[in-house]
């Protein structure tokens, strides 16, 4: 019996060590190397830098913009807002009072006049991760009057800027049209610096 255990233990240990080296070290290193060769910007987190080389964010993680002169992204339920360490949704159900109160506050905050139509859903609902960097083109266009007024720009100029930043679905059908809020706000600052 003891010989059976000894004879079975050696192959089990050898296979465990082999697969640990192969799948725990070799495979991740191979994939990381391929990523660095083929897509280094994406593999390193899609980091965006300003003119001085300072990191200002990632194209993959939303940021909180509250000034009327900037386009706003989706609300975030991740920590205190866009906290990658606390990525999650609020998990409130449709009948939860805190969710209804937050939605009412977000709707009134996004409206610039009482007779204006309700804002698009993605301006008042958080994404599942709470880190979504993108909004729909409709949500960006909805904000054009506020941003144009705050920047003292013509609405047509701001609208054209939004339309230039609309990204189409991958291969024409995977995903939806969207606008990256950080990229749009950077282009807005390049067009007309925030007062």
């Amino acid at each position: 019996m003891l010989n059976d255990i000894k004879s079975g233990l050696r192959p089990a240990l050898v296979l465990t060590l082999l697969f640990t080296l192969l799948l725990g070290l070799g495979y991740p290193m191979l994939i990381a190397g391929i990523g660095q060769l083929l897509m280094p910007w994406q593999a390193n987190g899609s980091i965006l830098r300003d003119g001085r080389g300072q990191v200002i964010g990632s194209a993959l993680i939303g940021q909180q913009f509250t000034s009327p002169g900037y386009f706003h992204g989706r609300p975030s339920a991740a920590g205190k807002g866009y906290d990658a360490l606390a990525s999650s949704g609020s998990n409130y159900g449709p009948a939860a009072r805190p969710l209804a109160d937050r939605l009412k506050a977000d709707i009134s905050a996004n409206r610039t006049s009482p007779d204006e139509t309700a804002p698009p859903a993605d301006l008042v609902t958080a994404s599942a991760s709470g880190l979504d960097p993108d909004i729909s083109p409709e949500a960006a266009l909805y904000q054009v009057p506020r941003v144009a007024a705050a920047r003292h720009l013509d609405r047509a100029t701001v609208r054209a800027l939004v339309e230039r930043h609309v990204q189409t679905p991958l291969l024409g059908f995977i995903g939806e049209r969207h606008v990256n809020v950080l990229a749009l706000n950077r282009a807005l600052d390049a067009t007309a610096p925030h007062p």
Side-chain angles (χ1 to χ4, degrees):
M1 170 107 174
L2 190 57
N3 286 338
D4 289 342
I5 293 174
K6 285 182 182 178
S7 64
L9 187 60
R10 184 169 186 250
L13 290 175
V14 168
L15 285 175
T16 300
L17 181 63
L18 175 69
F19 283 111
T20 298
L21 292 174
L22 183 65
L23 300 175
L25 294 175
Y27 179 74
M29 288 173 66
L30 175 69
I31 296 302
I34 290 171
Q36 290 295 328
L37 279 174
L38 300 179
M39 303 176 295
W41 187 69
Q42 293 90 338
N44 291 317
S46 303
I47 301 298
L48 298 172
R49 299 177 187 278
D50 65 8
R52 298 182 312 260
Q54 298 290 327
V55 173
I56 58 168
S58 169
L60 304 174
I61 297 177
Q63 293 187 15
Q64 184 132 10
F65 292 97
T66 57
S67 168
Y70 284 110
F71 287 92
H72 301 171
R74 295 183 75 165
S76 176
K80 294 182 180 175
Y82 301 103
D83 180 2
L85 295 176
S87 173
S88 70
S90 66
N91 292 333
Y92 288 132
R97 191 81 195 136
L99 177 61
D101 292 342
R102 189 188 59 73
L103 284 174
K104 284 179 189 173
D106 285 344
I107 289 170
S108 65
N110 278 290
R111 280 188 174 163
T112 54
S113 65
D115 57 335
E116 190 176 38
T117 60
D122 54 335
L123 283 180
V124 296
T125 56
S127 65
S129 69
L131 304 174
D132 195 352
D134 303 319
I135 57 175
S136 66
E138 295 76 22
L141 291 170
Y142 182 86
Q143 299 178 68
V144 165
R146 174 181 45 80
V147 173
R151 298 265 181 151
H152 308 293
L153 291 171
D154 179 48
R155 286 185 184 185
T157 302
V158 179
R159 183 180 184 84
L161 186 66
V162 169
E163 289 170 354
R164 280 196 306 271
H165 281 81
V166 173
Q167 298 175 20
T168 57
L170 181 65
L171 302 177
F173 66 94
I174 299 173
E176 296 181 9
R177 293 172 21 138
H178 61 279
V179 177
N180 185 286
V181 177
L182 180 58
L184 178 59
N185 283 333
R186 290 184 71 200
L188 184 61
D189 279 341
T191 301
H194 194 270

